[in-house]
Amino acid sequence: MSTSRVPRPRTTSSTPRKPLATPASTTSSSTTSRGTPVTRAARGGLAAPTLRTKTSASRLQPTTPRSNAKSLPSQAVENPPSPVSPRAISIKEQIALRRAEQAKKASSSKNGSHDGIEEGSVPNSPSPVEEDILGRWSIRDTIDRAKSSGSILLASRDLTRIPSYLFESHLSLTPQPLKEAPPEVVEPDAPPKQRRTGKTTWYEQVDLTAIKAWDNAIVEIQPEISLFGSLKIVDLHKNKLRRLPDSFMDLVFLVNLDLSENELEELPDQLASLPNLANLNVSHNKLRTLPFEIKENLSLRTRSESFFSVTIERAKVPLPSLMLLNASHNMLTPKAVHLPSLPRGLVDVDLSHNELSKASSLITAIAKLAHIRTLKLASCSLTNESFPSRLTPSRSLHHLDLGENDAMSEAAVRHALQDVEMEIGPTHTHIQGILNVTFGKPGPVLEDWEIEAERRARQRKTSATSESVFSVRSETSKVGSRRPSLQTSASAKSRSVAVSPPPPPVKEGWEIEAEQGLLTEGGRRRARAAAAAAKAVAHAVSDDHGVSQISSGVSSLSISSGSSSSSLIQFYDGPHATLTLPRSQPQPRTHNRSFSVVPSSASTNASELTVPLPTLPLPSILSQSFASSIKVLVLSSRKMETTFVLPSTGLSDPVLPHLEELSLDSCNLASEVPVSQESSTTPSMPKESLLHVIASLFPTLSTLDLSYNALTTLAGVGVLFTPDAEKKRKGLTTLRVRGNRLVSLEPLEEVASQWKGSGGIPGWRGEEIDLRDNEIGRLPPLLGLLPLEVLLVEGNTFRVPNRRIWEKD
């Protein structure tokens, strides 16, 4: 009969046990230091060896030696054992319990708790870094990442100031304490294992250019912010700012400044001296004045008194680059702006929701600015007396918002703007070429298709009115022949209501093709054959008599270079003032027994047969009624005849007075281009420098695209970049010459040398020069002096400087 294997804890009492012999098999029990019982049954009448474990020295007590005699049952022990578990625990279960305890200790130590130490017993212990519920980086990680990106976003963080860690990390200085701002809550530093960003190396660091800290509770800004001299964007809207430090105006490279929805009552006096500020938003504040006047004693200033400190170059005229001004929802009055100091480059001005009841002179001054396009004066308490009695705004003014001025009548507005073609309505009508006046309470916002439908309805109404007027005029002439007494009054009445005839409707491409019989492939073949025959007859007549004459019926279908009577209206985009001529590919090599005798144009639209072949057919373009309004001219992939056909005046007179962008990419043009005149009969064409020709013809050009041609030099580029007031040349700001055969940049280096030791070209600042994918073997260091926003040079053969350097710059 075997005994039950129930573990029993070993007693530590020094009382000796009374051994009693028993015929049954006995058990010998032993326990570990933690009281875990381990039992082994004795077999064969011998006592099983006792399993012992190490115990602490303090818990060891002397005990009597065990005898080899057989022990009594558990009831004979003087000290009864502690209660036992209902069943035995195996070795595997003990190991599992040990592992569970170790895992629990590891998790508790990771969460900040320690065995034997109560929570909160350690003084000054930092609280663990909590993870953002939106998954954003911590403030410190965001600031550290800005070292390599140059931009920092700290929006909706409940900040009371710009974090001091920004100055400590980027500038290695501690900002001075602020008086008005509440104490700063310092975010605890994350352990190294929890940090999400690594250390930025010195060669990866860039200057900070953008700070966006909107939707916070920032009350005051540290004066040390002026030490971030490369800042271009500062967005602090929806905060609690009350004032700006004077040193804030040392940020001379600032382009975009948003201080809306704050509590500002005034702006620094040096605001007008920022030379590059283009967008200023100070709406929803408590401003009473706009400081546009430059103080004479603040023209130059240094950031410190040191001899080696950087000199800050301020503007000499008030805000020369300012284009967008939003000062709505303030407390401005008509005397808030000093009119002689008003910025001259303003394009969009919003003064809505201010008290401008007597702002006649202010409205007149802003409306007459040369570049103004939008003027918003909604809900400004304007009256018939405060509005100018006679207003002749600038031709560039497109939208005038006078809505929600209940004390002003529509008749007064019409009387003041009687010399201007305009459209008055409760919403902005977006009609091009006229002044759109918003008056009255705002109506529903119209979509583009609704605006277009209303425009067509007005055109139909105007055409119907003109036809009725013409019929009335004819009837009046008949009545006047029968009644001479009524002739004078009737003729006077007809003159008073006479309306100019409507313009002819614009035909689409398929309508023109249908009229010319070019909708079928047979018709197109006949047209090409007729054009080739006409060209052969013209050459024969020119050889015999020296005069080339083509019949009017054939010239309308001719694709020769001298055709200037063809209509290009189907290629003109009126709303964008863009003329895009179709591509003209060179004649492919075909079999000698090809069916057609002229180049096939199966891949080209049939209406393109009326377009002359030269790359730049100026006589055909100038003969159009819309030539004076073209702003963008696209001549891409015109490779059939790489020549420029000029008008009879040649290069002496500029053409296309409003042209701003010219695209001549993929035209296979060389550095010198053949040039011919409209009235010239000589077969030979002299070659002129391409850039000189473009500079002479289009002085108002600002963007030139010559990508993917065969240029080998940039001779004449200096003329394009240099402004000239006599020729109305503004200076080229964007030049793209990608994919050419340029080897050196000496002409461009000569332009850049003007900034060496001097002020460079006055009044010029470039935007982009694209020199990619050429054969440039050396990059001149002087190109770094050019005031450019973008310079692209990859894909060339030069090795110095290193790619890492010029990519970073």
Side-chain angles (χ1 to χ4, degrees):
M1 181 177 179
S2 61
T3 60
S4 175
R5 301 180 61 183
V6 178
R8 300 177 182 274
R10 188 181 64 180
T11 59
T12 58
S13 175
S14 60
T15 305
R17 298 178 180 178
K18 296 179 180 181
L20 294 177
T22 177
S25 60
T26 60
T27 58
S28 178
S29 63
S30 62
T31 60
T32 61
S33 61
R34 294 181 179 268
T36 304
V38 179
T39 63
R40 291 192 177 183
R43 297 181 180 180
L46 297 177
T50 304
L51 178 63
R52 297 180 179 273
T53 58
K54 294 182 180 180
T55 58
S56 59
S58 61
R59 297 180 60 183
L60 293 177
Q61 296 182 0
T63 58
T64 58
R66 293 176 178 270
S67 62
N68 295 330
K70 297 179 181 180
S71 61
L72 292 174
S74 58
Q75 291 81 0
V77 182
E78 292 183 358
N79 294 332
S82 59
V84 298
S85 59
R87 70 179 183 86
I89 301 177
S90 64
I91 297 297
K92 292 183 179 180
E93 291 175 340
Q94 294 179 35
I95 295 174
L97 288 175
R98 291 290 185 90
R99 289 179 178 176
E101 290 178 1
Q102 293 177 359
K104 185 176 181 180
K105 287 182 180 181
S107 62
S108 61
S109 62
K110 185 176 181 180
N111 293 332
S113 61
H114 303 278
D115 292 340
I117 301 178
E118 297 182 356
E119 184 178 359
S121 61
V122 180
N124 300 327
S125 60
S127 59
V129 179
E130 297 182 359
E131 186 177 358
D132 190 85
I133 60 175
L134 300 178
R136 298 177 298 184
W137 299 82
S138 65
I139 295 178
R140 288 177 174 264
D141 287 342
T142 304
I143 293 175
D144 290 337
R145 284 170 59 89
K147 291 182 179 180
S148 58
S149 64
S151 177
I152 182 171
L153 176 61
L154 296 173
S156 304
R157 300 271 189 164
D158 295 332
L159 301 175
T160 58
R161 67 184 73 194
I162 296 178
S164 301
Y165 183 70
L166 176 64
F167 301 92
E168 297 171 0
S169 176
H170 288 250
L171 301 177
S172 300
L173 60 87
T174 302
Q176 298 179 359
L178 300 177
K179 299 179 181 179
E180 300 180 2
E184 182 179 8
V185 178
V186 180
E187 183 186 41
D189 193 6
K193 294 183 179 180
Q194 298 183 12
R195 291 177 183 172
R196 301 171 64 182
T197 57
K199 186 176 180 181
T200 305
T201 56
W202 62 270
Y203 57 84
E204 294 177 344
Q205 295 182 5
V206 296
D207 293 337
L208 191 64
T209 59
I211 294 180
K212 300 176 182 179
W214 44 270
D215 194 12
N216 284 290
I218 299 177
V219 178
E220 192 176 359
I221 299 177
Q222 295 91 333
E224 289 81 3
I225 194 174
S226 62
L227 299 178
F228 292 106
S230 300
L231 276 179
K232 295 183 179 181
I233 300 174
V234 175
D235 189 351
L236 297 173
H237 77 272
K238 206 173 182 180
N239 279 282
K240 298 181 180 179
L241 288 174
R242 299 171 186 171
R243 65 181 184 88
L244 294 177
D246 293 338
S247 60
F248 190 85
M249 297 303 127
D250 291 346
L251 302 174
V252 293
F253 291 102
L254 199 62
V255 176
N256 192 337
L257 178 59
D258 191 349
L259 300 172
S260 59
E261 300 185 51
N262 280 279
E263 300 176 4
L264 295 173
E265 297 182 357
E266 61 178 0
L267 295 174
D269 295 336
Q270 305 94 323
L271 176 67
S273 61
L274 294 178
N276 298 305
L277 186 62
N279 187 356
L280 176 61
N281 189 350
V282 291
S283 61
H284 295 84
N285 280 283
K286 302 177 182 178
L287 299 176
R288 296 182 181 273
T289 59
L290 294 177
F292 288 154
E293 189 175 0
I294 293 183
K295 305 296 182 180
E296 296 181 357
N297 56 348
L298 296 176
S299 58
L300 293 175
R301 179 183 170 186
T302 57
R303 292 192 177 96
S304 63
E305 300 298 334
S306 174
F307 176 78
F308 298 99
S309 60
V310 180
T311 302
I312 301 174
E313 297 182 0
R314 301 185 181 275
K316 298 180 181 179
V317 295
L319 296 173
S321 302
L322 186 63
M323 300 175 63
L324 307 178
L325 173 63
N326 189 352
S328 60
H329 296 84
N330 278 281
M331 304 171 66
L332 299 177
T333 60
K335 297 181 180 180
V337 181
H338 188 237
L339 297 182
S341 302
L342 191 68
R344 300 301 176 185
L346 286 173
V347 176
D348 192 341
V349 179
D350 189 354
L351 298 177
S352 303
H353 297 275
N354 286 287
E355 293 296 330
L356 302 177
S357 57
K358 298 180 180 180
S360 176
S361 57
L362 177 62
I363 296 173
T364 304
I366 297 177
K368 291 186 176 181
L369 293 175
H371 305 286
I372 189 69
R373 284 189 57 83
T374 304
L375 175 58
K376 297 181 180 180
L377 299 170
S379 187
C380 289
S381 302
L382 295 177
T383 61
N384 295 337
E385 292 77 14
S386 61
F387 196 75
S389 58
R390 198 66 172 269
L391 180 61
T392 305
S394 174
R395 297 182 60 183
S396 61
L397 185 61
H398 176 67
H399 182 209
L400 177 61
D401 189 356
L402 300 175
E404 301 184 46
N405 290 289
D406 299 334
M408 187 168 53
S409 62
E410 183 178 348
V413 177
R414 291 185 178 276
H415 180 268
L417 300 172
Q418 58 183 341
D419 298 334
V420 182
E421 185 180 359
M422 62 178 177
E423 180 70 22
I424 298 181
T427 57
H428 185 15
T429 53
H430 298 278
I431 301 177
Q432 299 291 333
I434 65 173
L435 176 60
N436 299 271
V437 181
T438 303
F439 186 81
K441 295 183 179 180
V445 179
L446 300 179
E447 297 184 3
D448 294 340
W449 68 270
E450 295 176 313
I451 296 172
E452 181 66 17
E454 290 185 357
R455 185 185 66 82
R456 294 187 178 183
R458 283 192 298 269
Q459 287 183 351
R460 288 194 297 268
K461 185 177 179 181
T462 304
S463 60
T465 305
S466 60
E467 290 177 359
S468 62
V469 168
F470 296 147
S471 62
V472 169
R473 180 179 296 180
S474 60
E475 292 295 334
T476 303
S477 60
K478 294 178 181 179
V479 174
S481 61
R482 296 192 299 266
R483 297 181 181 180
S485 60
L486 299 178
Q487 184 176 1
T488 305
S489 60
S491 60
K493 183 177 180 180
S494 64
R495 285 194 302 270
S496 62
V497 298
V499 181
S500 59
V506 178
K507 297 181 180 180
E508 297 184 3
W510 67 271
E511 295 177 314
I512 299 175
E513 295 172 6
E515 292 178 357
Q516 298 178 354
L518 301 176
L519 288 180
T520 61
E521 184 63 29
R524 287 192 288 269
R525 276 199 300 268
R526 287 190 292 271
R528 291 194 296 269
K535 188 173 183 180
V537 172
H539 282 294
V541 173
S542 176
D543 294 337
D544 296 338
H545 306 285
V547 179
S548 177
Q549 297 178 352
I550 304 176
S551 61
S552 59
V554 179
S555 62
S556 61
L557 299 175
S558 176
I559 57 175
S560 63
S561 61
S563 176
S564 62
S565 60
S566 57
S567 176
L568 304 178
I569 188 65
Q570 64 268 29
F571 306 111
Y572 181 66
D573 185 4
H576 300 89
T578 302
L579 177 62
T580 305
L581 295 187
R583 300 180 179 182
S584 62
Q585 301 294 338
Q587 179 180 358
R589 294 184 178 181
T590 58
H591 195 268
N592 293 332
R593 295 183 180 181
S594 179
F595 179 81
S596 180
V597 296
V598 295
S600 175
S601 60
S603 61
T604 309
N605 192 4
S607 61
E608 298 172 3
L609 294 173
T610 60
V611 181
L613 291 180
T615 302
L616 180 60
L618 272 180
S620 299
I621 297 175
L622 296 177
S623 63
Q624 309 300 317
S625 59
F626 53 81
S628 59
S629 61
I630 296 176
K631 293 185 179 180
V632 180
L633 181 58
V634 180
L635 304 173
S636 302
S637 301
R638 295 186 55 80
K639 305 177 182 179
M640 181 70 92
E641 293 184 11
T642 56
T643 59
F644 283 10
V645 180
L646 308 182
S648 57
T649 56
L651 298 174
S652 59
D653 296 334
V655 295
L656 303 180
H658 297 93
L659 187 64
E660 298 177 357
E661 182 176 348
L662 176 61
S663 180
L664 288 168
D665 58 299
S666 303
C667 289
N668 200 21
L669 296 175
S671 299
E672 294 184 351
V673 61
V675 176
S676 64
Q677 294 185 6
E678 182 181 15
S679 59
S680 176
T681 58
T682 58
S684 61
M685 297 183 184
K687 290 187 176 182
E688 300 286 345
S689 174
L690 175 62
L691 298 181
H692 279 293
V693 172
I694 295 175
S696 302
L697 293 175
F698 315 115
T700 60
L701 204 61
S702 60
T703 301
L704 178 60
D705 189 356
L706 294 173
S707 302
Y708 302 105
N709 284 287
L711 301 181
T712 57
T713 180
L714 292 178
V717 72
V719 182
L720 286 169
F721 284 144
T722 305
D724 191 348
E726 295 182 359
K727 297 183 179 180
K728 299 181 180 181
R729 179 179 291 114
K730 301 178 181 179
L732 200 66
T733 58
T734 302
L735 177 62
R736 301 186 182 98
V737 287
R738 180 181 184 179
N740 282 272
R741 303 174 185 174
L742 298 177
V743 179
S744 65
L745 300 176
E746 294 182 359
L748 200 59
E749 186 177 5
E750 294 177 1
V751 176
S753 63
Q754 301 185 32
W755 275 270
K756 186 177 181 181
S758 62
I761 300 177
W764 183 83
R765 185 175 183 83
E767 295 180 1
E768 177 186 347
I769 294 181
D770 190 353
L771 301 172
R772 291 177 292 178
D773 302 331
N774 280 277
E775 301 174 4
I776 302 172
R778 186 182 71 89
L779 189 64
L782 289 178
L783 293 184
L785 300 177
L786 290 173
L788 292 173
E789 296 290 337
V790 178
L791 178 61
L792 303 175
V793 294
E794 63 181 351
N796 286 280
T797 59
F798 63 86
R799 296 185 178 181
V800 178
N802 195 351
R803 181 185 183 91
R804 185 178 62 188
I805 297 176
W806 57 259
E807 276 191 347
K808 178 180 178 181
D809 295 339

